[in-house]
Amino acid sequence: MCTQRVQPSVLSESSRCFSLDGLREPEAKPERDILTGIFFDLDDEDVTTPKSHRQATLGLVLHVLAAYEEVDSVPARKDIDQSCIFWPHYYGELYIEGGASRKYHSHPCFEDTQMYWRQFSLHQFYLYATEQFLQAMIDAMGNQPEGVTMARLVELMLESDFVEELERVMECKIDGPADLLDFFGAGDSPRQVQQHFSCDHPLSEAQVYYQHSKVESSKTPVTRLGRAFTIWAQLYAKWRDSDDPALLNVLVRANREWCIGTAFEWGDQWLDEKPNWSSALEGLVRDFQSRHNEIYLNKGKLDAAWFEVLGGCFIRVQDLKPNFRSTRHPQVATILQDLCLLEDGGPHEVLKLTAEGYRVLTEVITARS
């Protein structure tokens, strides 16, 4: 039996090398090289192809951060989703704190993957608007144990003053959702609408999302229904007639599941029938009720019961918090720091490429070109 004791100071010293933090030490470079090759699909010629979306996604992170360094506006790790996904891949811009955004030009070898991140962003906005509408329904139900009828639910939703807010923000009469679609240029060139309502516009999807709900802004809607309809109408105008290959692929793969194609169907109906707000809200509530039942009952997701309908009355069950889904990019940034491809730092410190990071970016571009 070994009775020799190890001094705490020895354990403390060795932990520097045997913990994950030790990966950043100079003597761990061989291990970092192996992990970098695996992580970036650079270790096997069979997988180093333009079809590797993981490789392209990681390459895009480095490429976007390098672009930010060129304009001397490097983002902090906590802002990586906004700065490295929504701005560059959805709007084609670089986020500049306190100033106008700057154009971002991706490398052609990343084009296919960037298109899918654009669709990811689009569907984040669509989902956020959809959840805002759902929570607006739940808010209107209140805490009344007997619930509210469909007619009363629609009345209460109209009493949220979202129509008045939209008319104030748009500075025009908005008698129904068709007027809102016209405001955003539905029927015009999708590219033209995308350029007009880009990231710096106060009514862009991102500005609507990031606007704090407790701030009374004269330029951006803050009510739940104001946000929902502003984003839905804008997405319709920007993408309904788009021939974006990634969008068309998503619509086919989604089949009848709710996606941006669902908003296209709503928009088509609004333009054809020109309903007033009361009729539009009732139609949407019925669609949400049907979808809610499908998820809750048919798919067996019992934790997704937000409301129930008994005797024709809507009863509140629980609230939800509309928000974006995780992109995993904050975790990616931490891994890139562990691999010494980005300078070390905390969530509030900027993400700058190291010399090794630039070398790997060059290798990825070369491998894909």
Side-chain angles (χ1 to χ4, degrees):
M1 177 181 294
C2 178
T3 59
Q4 185 175 2
R5 298 175 62 86
V6 178
Q7 296 297 321
S9 60
V10 175
L11 294 175
S12 178
E13 179 64 23
S14 64
S15 68
R16 185 178 64 86
C17 296
F18 289 107
S19 70
L20 187 59
D21 292 337
L23 191 61
R24 304 178 186 183
E25 299 299 325
E27 56 268 24
K29 187 178 186 308
E31 287 83 354
R32 289 200 303 272
D33 290 344
I34 293 172
L35 291 172
T36 299
I38 295 172
F39 202 44
F40 281 83
D41 288 338
L42 295 170
D43 60 325
D44 189 336
E45 292 184 359
D46 292 336
V47 296
T48 306
T49 70
K51 295 181 180 179
S52 173
H53 287 301
R54 182 179 70 180
Q55 181 191 73
T57 294
L58 297 173
L60 277 168
V61 172
L62 297 178
H63 193 271
V64 169
L65 290 173
Y68 273 111
E69 287 197 46
E70 290 182 5
V71 298
D72 195 28
S73 184
V74 185
R77 194 175 76 196
K78 67 179 181 66
D79 299 322
I80 190 170
D81 283 350
Q82 175 183 359
S83 300
C84 295
I85 298 181
F86 297 108
W87 254 249
H89 302 328
Y90 186 73
Y91 294 109
E93 305 276 349
L94 297 175
Y95 176 78
I96 307 298
E97 184 72 35
S101 298
R102 302 277 291 274
K103 280 292 181 184
Y104 168 67
H105 301 284
S106 179
H107 193 281
C109 72
F110 299 132
E111 181 179 0
D112 288 347
T113 299
Q114 187 184 31
M115 284 195 303
Y116 282 101
W117 278 109
R118 185 178 304 124
Q119 293 307 307
F120 172 87
S121 303
L122 184 163
H123 279 84
Q124 290 276 51
F125 291 128
Y126 162 74
L127 176 62
Y128 174 73
T130 301
E131 289 187 340
Q132 285 285 2
F133 186 92
L134 175 56
Q135 185 56 45
M137 286 177 55
I138 298 171
D139 290 342
M141 294 173 201
N143 296 315
Q144 303 177 48
E146 70 279 6
V148 295
T149 63
M150 168 70 80
R152 182 55 180 157
L153 179 62
V154 171
E155 287 179 2
L156 290 168
M157 294 175 75
L158 283 170
E159 289 175 5
S160 67
D161 295 332
F162 79 95
V163 177
E164 292 79 359
E165 177 187 58
L166 290 176
E167 292 181 339
R168 174 180 56 79
V169 170
M170 313 299 175
E171 297 182 345
C172 62
K173 192 69 174 174
I174 308 288
D175 291 325
D179 292 337
L180 199 57
L181 292 172
D182 289 340
F183 174 87
F184 281 107
D188 294 343
S189 163
R191 185 60 182 161
Q192 180 181 341
V193 179
Q194 291 166 16
Q195 291 175 344
H196 181 71
F197 293 99
S198 191
C199 50
D200 291 333
H201 196 288
L203 293 177
S204 70
E205 306 96 329
Q207 297 292 345
V208 173
Y209 171 78
Y210 285 107
Q211 176 66 49
H212 197 283
S213 61
K214 294 183 180 180
V215 175
E216 293 187 1
S217 170
S218 61
K219 298 181 180 179
T220 306
V222 295
T223 61
R224 294 194 186 280
L225 293 175
R227 290 179 189 239
F229 279 106
T230 297
I231 292 178
W232 279 338
Q234 188 171 171
L235 291 176
Y236 182 94
K238 287 182 174 180
W239 297 100
R240 179 63 181 92
D241 297 322
S242 172
D243 58 358
D244 184 288
L247 170 63
L248 300 178
N249 183 280
V250 168
L251 294 178
V252 171
R253 293 166 67 93
N255 197 7
R256 298 305 301 171
E257 294 292 334
W258 275 28
C259 66
I260 187 59
T262 308
F264 291 167
E265 294 176 2
W266 295 334
D268 290 344
Q269 183 179 15
W270 294 337
L271 288 175
D272 288 342
E273 300 176 5
K274 303 220 173 1
N276 58 25
W277 283 114
S278 180
S279 297
L281 287 174
E282 182 174 344
L284 285 170
V285 168
R286 294 190 187 282
D287 284 348
F288 273 69
Q289 179 185 358
S290 175
R291 180 60 175 172
H292 182 269
N293 290 341
E294 180 182 356
I295 295 174
Y296 175 56
L297 299 175
N298 298 348
K299 295 189 177 184
K301 295 186 177 180
L302 302 183
D303 60 334
W306 309 109
F307 62 87
E308 59 183 353
V309 182
L310 298 176
C313 290
F314 291 78
I315 303 172
R316 178 187 204 154
V317 173
Q318 62 176 328
D319 293 334
L320 76 158
K321 295 181 179 179
N323 209 340
F324 288 162
R325 301 304 185 262
S326 174
T327 68
R328 300 290 188 268
H329 272 55
Q331 294 88 337
V332 166
T334 301
I335 294 173
L336 295 179
Q337 289 177 324
D338 288 336
L339 295 175
C340 295
L341 304 182
L342 298 178
E343 293 181 3
D344 193 16
H348 297 275
E349 296 181 71
V350 298
L351 295 169
K352 299 187 68 174
L353 272 69
T354 62
E356 182 66 8
Y358 278 104
R359 186 196 68 77
V360 170
L361 173 58
T362 301
E363 185 175 355
V364 168
I365 292 175
T366 300
R368 298 181 66 82
S369 300

